[in-house]
Amino acid sequence: MSKPLKQIHLAAHFPGVNNTTVWSDPAAGSHIEFSSFAKFARTAERAKFDFLFLAEGLRLREQGGKIYDLDVVGRPDTFTILAALAAVTEHLGLTGTINSTFNEPYEVARQFASLDHLSDGRAAWNVVTSWDAFTGENFRRGGFLPQDERYSRAKEFLATTQELFDSWHGDEIVADRASGTFLSDAKAGAFVHQGQHFDIQGQFNVPRSPQGRPVIFQAGDSDEGREFAASSADAIFSRYSTLDQGQAFYTDVKSRLAKYGRRSDQLLILPAATFVLGDTDAEAEDLAKEVRRQQVSGATAIKHLEFVWNRDLSSYDPDGPLPDIDPDVSENHISKGRAQVRMYRDPLATASEWRERAEANGWSIRDLVIETGNRQAFIGSPSTVAKTINDFVQADASDGFILVPHITPTGLDPFADKVVPLLQEQGVFRTEYEGPTLRDHLGLTHPDDVREERVAS
Amino acid sequence: MSSTPVSPLHLAVALDGTGWHPASWREPVARPRDLFTAAYWADLVAEAERGLLDFVTFEDGLGLQSSHYAELDGRTDQVRGRLDAVLIAARIAPLTSHIGLVPTVVSTHTEPFHISKAIATLDYVSTGRAGLRVQLSARPHEADHFGRRTFPPISLESLRTEAGQERLAEHFDEAADYIEVVRRLWDSWEDDAEIRDVATGRFVDRDKLHYIDFEGRHFSVKGPSITPRPPQGQPIVSSLAHQTIPYRLVARATDVGYVTPHDTDDARAIVAEIRAEQQTAGRAGELLHIFGDLVVFLDDDEATAIARRERLDALAGEPYTSDARIFTGTPAQLADLLQELQGAGLTGFRLRPAVAGHDLPAITQKLVPELQRRGAFRQAYEADTLRGLLGLARPANRYAAAAATA
């Protein structure tokens, strides 16, 4: 008997502040107005996607001491948008990034438990960490968290919120009018947590939510990040776009689960993926090239090069050759609040590799940035893209994808209309939602069942 | 009363659980098991909107409800537990179209940066109907939920001492800083900062984004906001006040203050004090609403209302008391009272339904028509934004104005 086909998980990321979002296209709408989010969410739900994903920003990015002005700038508040989206959707999971550094566990637990109640069990939290003083300048905590403590705080933060979620068991509210008993237990929600980062106690004031606790997502590729995900997350975002890299990551992360007493289907691996569709593969390739040129203007190319060079390169011609000077490797970086900067861990090596590639191919600065960055993951006709996605999933390079269109709010429509039906025909993607909650869509166990399993064993 | 010259008054309803009477959840009309569902709140706000009310407020707190201010009471015979008010408001926003949505925010333990963007976003999802009600918490047991600060025990008696007043002033100074930061962040983007200039490749004009550079005793915030200036420019800021120090905050920093006068003379005195503070704060020319808070038991005849209140008191085991005046009677009697208090200088009222499922429909279906008959309340929504309903102009952006004169 052949191996049964894996079911693909699909989600949609409302794109935010980066140069993959093509704001200059006449079809691009608002990235702030609620109607954009509602339109996007309805498309994702029409396509039976597992969830919608929102990132967050806590400080406007800067480069060379000035606010970065070339990409989409600004976004609405994650929790508020997700709660409002719960009103215009019925099944779609609602996943938001919330930082564990510039928040407190009691408040975040309240917000996620509330969102889970208000969406009838569709809330998910992408736990991220931050340590930089730059972002900290907007918060009471300031920027004093040492970098090496960020995962230790994140771990304790997450564990503390779990304690708060578990402080109500789900049967406390009896609301019996005749006897006048509202709560079965005066100590409902009682908690005490003493740890390295948090020393808190009291009574949590949100009753147990439909999912028990929100679904937990994690992103982060370091060894610590992978371990954190294996121990504590229901899904991990990865950024590997080739089959080999994806399989290596998949195998590595899934192999870490056993030591935490978890099965391999208890952590889903979901890379983010961009796509460009055309009627034919050739048409899609042409369109993809056009999109990449829209994504990388001359000014954007220079700014992107500055991430690596860490110098003001504004005097360079984006249509000319790469700078022959070396990157500045001092600690104080010209670019602030940008995740991408950390991708270039060895700027000297990156610069020399880029120079070689540009020379060998006759690329200008702009050509180089277009060729090295932000290449779409899936380019082709609907059938090519459906096949590629299915091949990745069946080959255990991922459990599905978080799709990032380059235009809001309509960028998801072609995928929903043309690719999803093909995946459904092949029997690898749902035609109806399995149940009401996000845990149902993701095939995850309810935390109460896990608790019972542990008690039984 | 018909000879009293009438100008339209403003009406808000304060939503809290099944109602403000602690035994309200035991009424047949109450839906105590639905308190943690969106449908419950959607139904209440829809009813308030049918009554053309200016706005609803959502009570909140960072601890379990208690019959004592400063500590938990361990009781199991009253409603305990609640959802985050900002998220309830956001969840309801797409289901309504005219009514203002004003969640409570506890300034003592939350981040002004987060709240500023949350309320700005509430303004976007409601297309201009957002506000917030700032509340502070001096409760030691709530501070323990955060573990960053410890507060000494507090009682109403201790607050009357000189040390208590100093402590109160300190808490309110922090709240004033909080509001200042939230407001600066709302203005930190000029309205036309997003330019999408394809020719130069610039999405925003960064000269129209502003650092707020706030430095205060409890926090400092650099800015700008991550969220562009909300549709109303400045959503409505409101707070509840019972004495001089809180009156000062109302006068200096809010658009709507809720006060709790016990009679007309009291109302006149409170209004005079707030107006004087408003002048001192240099806001004499600005429209600042002063709303009277009243708990209401409304029935078609007074005896029924009194009997209902007594029945609920018996269930609760003690007579209901409140910081606000408790009105028990008919919609016509309440309309008389509201107009009388309006004559003392109040510009609107925030009614606290004793039983949400009973007294809210009584407000919308009996009191409102009575006020309309008297020409004292709107016949239809006359504006699309909360500022519009309250007669407040969309404010100029402080940074844009500064840039223009620089």
Side-chain angles (χ1 to χ4, degrees):
Chain A
M1 220 174 100
S2 64
K3 194 177 153 193
L5 287 174
K6 273 171 77 180
Q7 288 295 302
I8 297 170
H9 295 282
L10 291 176
H13 173 38
F14 190 100
V17 292
N18 52 57
N19 67 301
T20 59
T21 304
V22 179
W23 54 261
S24 57
D25 193 296
S30 171
H31 60 291
I32 298 290
E33 303 292 336
F34 181 63
S35 55
S36 282
F37 291 89
K39 154 92 183 118
F40 190 80
R42 285 183 178 125
T43 303
E45 184 161 272
R46 172 163 62 83
K48 307 284 188 285
F49 276 29
D50 293 50
F51 62 91
L52 172 146
F53 171 64
L54 284 186
E56 88 172 331
L58 299 176
R59 173 115 189 230
L60 297 184
R61 296 162 303 152
E62 290 180 7
Q63 198 150 329
K66 291 176 176 163
I67 289 167
Y68 196 88
D69 60 357
L70 301 177
D71 300 344
V72 168
V73 175
R75 43 182 145 203
D77 178 64
T78 303
F79 276 124
T80 313
I81 286 289
L82 294 180
L85 285 176
V88 298
T89 54
E90 278 178 43
H91 290 93
L92 190 66
L94 303 165
T95 304
T97 298
I98 293 294
N99 194 289
S100 63
T101 308
F102 304 112
N103 284 293
E104 296 298 323
Y106 191 92
E107 195 185 9
V108 168
R110 262 201 104 213
Q111 289 167 313
F112 271 114
S114 296
L115 181 63
D116 206 41
H117 279 289
L118 293 168
S119 65
D120 298 314
R122 298 188 276 142
W125 174 19
N126 177 38
V127 186
V128 300
T129 63
S130 176
W131 71 90
D132 62 293
F134 177 72
T135 308
E137 282 184 64
N138 281 333
F139 297 97
R140 291 181 196 243
R141 272 184 60 76
F144 59 77
L145 186 71
Q147 182 173 346
D148 55 6
E149 280 184 28
R150 65 187 185 124
Y151 274 111
S152 103
R153 179 174 162 105
K155 264 186 190 162
E156 191 179 328
F157 193 112
L158 181 58
T160 309
T161 59
Q162 310 282 29
E163 289 164 28
L164 293 167
F165 295 134
D166 286 347
S167 67
W168 290 70
H169 300 101
D171 53 2
E172 290 91 345
I173 294 180
V174 281
D176 180 52
R177 288 185 175 89
S179 67
T181 307
F182 186 82
L183 281 186
S184 64
D185 177 6
K187 299 304 283 178
F191 68 92
V192 179
H193 175 94
Q194 285 177 305
Q196 186 190 343
H197 299 276
F198 307 105
D199 185 356
I200 63 175
Q201 59 176 325
Q203 276 179 276
F204 189 50
N205 70 346
V206 183
R208 195 160 180 83
S209 71
Q211 291 189 111
R213 56 174 173 81
V215 174
I216 300 297
F217 290 1
Q218 207 267 325
D221 188 37
S222 65
D223 192 59
E224 272 180 305
R226 293 178 187 207
E227 209 61 35
F228 180 36
S231 69
S232 316
D234 298 305
I236 181 167
F237 296 157
S238 75
R239 55 181 176 82
Y240 294 99
S241 49
T242 71
L243 190 73
D244 290 352
Q245 287 175 338
Q247 285 175 320
F249 180 81
Y250 192 98
T251 308
D252 175 76
V253 174
K254 296 253 178 178
S255 72
R256 295 172 189 243
L257 287 161
K259 72 176 134 196
Y260 299 104
R262 306 179 71 201
R263 296 189 310 267
S264 89
D265 61 353
Q266 287 177 308
L267 178 68
L268 298 175
I269 294 172
L270 302 173
T274 53
F275 60 91
V276 176
L277 294 168
D279 286 342
T280 62
D281 288 353
E283 194 187 303
E285 286 290 352
D286 287 347
L287 186 55
K289 278 183 198 142
E290 203 179 299
V291 169
R292 287 205 293 274
R293 285 199 80 74
Q294 284 181 305
Q295 289 168 326
V296 184
S297 67
T300 295
I302 295 292
K303 292 292 178 192
H304 199 89
L305 220 58
E306 290 180 353
F307 298 161
V308 175
W309 261 259
N310 194 23
R311 293 174 186 279
D312 178 0
L313 301 178
S314 55
S315 61
Y316 285 81
D317 175 5
D319 297 317
L322 270 64
D324 47 14
I325 53 169
D326 277 336
D328 174 357
V329 293
S330 64
E331 284 294 299
N332 198 2
H333 210 278
I334 189 171
S335 177
K336 306 266 186 208
R338 259 209 120 102
Q340 291 101 312
V341 170
R342 295 195 291 275
M343 284 162 59
Y344 304 116
R345 291 199 178 98
D346 186 347
L348 290 171
T350 304
S352 115
E353 184 206 323
W354 280 6
R355 264 194 225 107
E356 279 170 32
R357 289 185 66 188
E359 250 169 68
N361 294 289
W363 290 340
S364 67
I365 289 174
R366 189 175 175 196
D367 294 334
L368 180 276
V369 172
I370 287 172
E371 292 298 328
T372 56
N374 301 320
R375 181 169 284 277
Q376 296 89 349
F378 303 120
I379 304 167
S381 67
S383 63
T384 301
V385 169
K387 182 178 183 315
T388 315
I389 286 176
N390 192 35
D391 288 349
F392 264 75
V393 173
Q394 302 308 333
D396 283 345
S398 80
D399 293 308
F401 290 94
I402 297 170
L403 297 165
V404 196
H406 61 268
I407 287 183
T408 52
T410 55
L412 201 59
D413 293 44
F415 192 96
D417 294 334
K418 293 172 180 164
V419 181
V420 167
L422 297 176
L423 296 171
Q424 289 170 328
E425 275 171 31
Q426 292 167 46
V428 292
F429 190 66
R430 71 172 64 85
T431 55
E432 290 302 332
Y433 283 104
E434 292 84 358
T437 70
L438 177 56
R439 280 184 190 281
D440 295 330
H441 313 337
L442 296 173
L444 295 168
T445 340
H446 193 281
D448 292 341
D449 301 334
V450 176
R451 213 156 44 174
E452 279 157 24
E453 271 176 39
R454 283 192 187 140
V455 172
S457 63
Chain B
M1 294 303 297
S2 56
S3 62
T4 311
V6 286
S7 57
L9 54 80
H10 297 279
L11 269 189
V13 169
L15 300 178
D16 186 15
T18 55
W20 287 72
H21 193 289
S24 58
W25 69 271
R26 297 179 69 176
E27 288 285 277
V29 74
R31 297 160 60 187
R33 297 196 74 94
D34 294 347
L35 282 173
F36 308 98
T37 67
Y40 176 80
W41 298 98
D43 290 348
L44 289 186
V45 179
E47 182 59 39
E49 189 168 62
R50 274 194 292 275
L52 308 177
L53 303 192
D54 290 78
F55 61 91
V56 293
T57 60
F58 302 90
E59 296 299 306
D60 204 356
L62 294 173
L64 274 186
Q65 299 93 324
S66 173
S67 49
H68 309 305
Y69 175 81
E71 58 190 5
L72 296 179
D73 57 9
R75 290 176 74 151
T76 57
D77 63 332
Q78 299 177 356
V79 168
R80 294 292 180 263
R82 57 166 119 230
L83 303 180
D84 182 273
V86 174
L87 294 189
I88 292 176
R91 176 67 176 76
I92 302 311
L95 308 176
T96 53
S97 54
H98 284 93
I99 194 160
L101 303 167
V102 180
T104 297
V105 159
V106 178
S107 59
T108 311
H109 299 293
T110 61
E111 294 284 354
F113 189 87
H114 287 319
I115 291 302
S116 173
K117 68 184 159 68
I119 301 299
T121 303
L122 180 62
D123 210 37
Y124 279 104
V125 302
S126 66
T127 55
R129 296 181 287 125
L132 83 165
R133 176 259 179 127
V134 174
Q135 186 175 41
L136 55 84
S137 166
R139 297 176 171 93
H141 68 280
E142 289 182 9
D144 286 348
H145 293 162
F146 291 83
R148 291 185 301 200
R149 304 154 77 178
T150 51
F151 294 159
I154 193 163
S155 66
L156 287 177
E157 295 73 46
S158 73
L159 281 180
R160 290 192 195 102
T161 64
E162 199 177 321
Q165 288 291 298
E166 267 174 39
R167 181 177 169 190
L168 198 65
E170 200 179 303
H171 279 295
F172 274 90
D173 285 346
E174 185 182 3
D177 280 359
Y178 194 95
I179 294 172
E180 174 68 14
V181 167
V182 166
R183 286 190 179 281
R184 284 194 203 178
L185 286 168
W186 286 336
D187 276 351
S188 65
W189 290 57
E190 293 184 32
D191 291 315
D192 51 358
E194 184 179 314
I195 51 171
R196 296 194 187 222
D197 186 33
V198 177
T200 59
R202 291 175 308 146
F203 181 81
V204 289
D205 176 353
R206 64 179 160 224
D207 292 337
K208 296 187 172 186
L209 302 179
H210 303 277
Y211 296 104
I212 69 164
D213 286 321
F214 181 88
E215 302 275 349
R217 183 166 165 201
H218 292 287
F219 45 82
S220 57
V221 177
K222 179 77 183 170
S225 177
I226 197 80
T227 306
R229 194 167 193 239
Q232 292 184 100
Q234 293 273 316
I236 298 302
V237 176
S238 65
S239 80
L240 173 64
H242 300 100
Q243 52 154 296
T244 297
I245 290 168
Y247 292 156
R248 197 166 290 147
L249 181 72
V250 164
R252 286 176 177 175
T254 73
D255 303 293
V256 180
Y258 313 110
V259 298
T260 54
H262 284 263
D263 56 42
T264 310
D265 288 342
D266 194 18
R268 197 170 285 119
I270 293 169
V271 170
E273 189 172 357
I274 293 177
R275 295 296 177 210
E277 290 284 359
Q278 189 184 348
Q279 187 132 21
T280 307
R283 295 182 69 201
E286 289 180 42
L287 180 54
L288 165 64
H289 282 288
I290 306 176
F291 276 35
D293 264 24
L294 295 166
V295 179
V296 297
F297 292 83
L298 286 175
D299 283 289
D300 288 340
D301 67 273
E302 192 178 354
T304 308
I306 292 169
R308 189 159 60 91
R309 179 175 166 183
E310 284 170 352
R311 183 160 48 81
L312 285 162
D313 283 353
L315 281 171
E318 61 197 346
Y320 176 57
T321 58
S322 172
D323 57 323
R325 177 168 171 176
I326 302 171
F327 173 86
T328 311
T330 68
Q333 289 170 328
L334 180 58
D336 288 346
L337 175 63
L338 298 188
Q339 289 190 296
E340 185 188 321
L341 287 167
Q342 188 186 12
L346 296 177
T347 56
F349 298 91
R350 187 175 75 141
L351 303 179
R352 307 180 188 177
V355 178
H358 180 102
D359 295 297
L360 173 61
I363 290 165
T364 54
Q365 296 166 28
K366 305 280 175 61
L367 173 70
V368 163
E370 177 64 29
L371 289 169
Q372 287 170 328
R373 267 193 293 282
R374 301 178 185 201
F377 194 65
R378 68 170 62 86
Q379 300 283 342
Y381 279 114
E382 70 275 18
D384 293 329
T385 68
L386 178 52
R387 292 193 82 90
L389 294 178
L390 293 172
L392 293 159
R394 189 175 190 277
N397 185 315
R398 74 194 69 192
Y399 298 106
T405 55

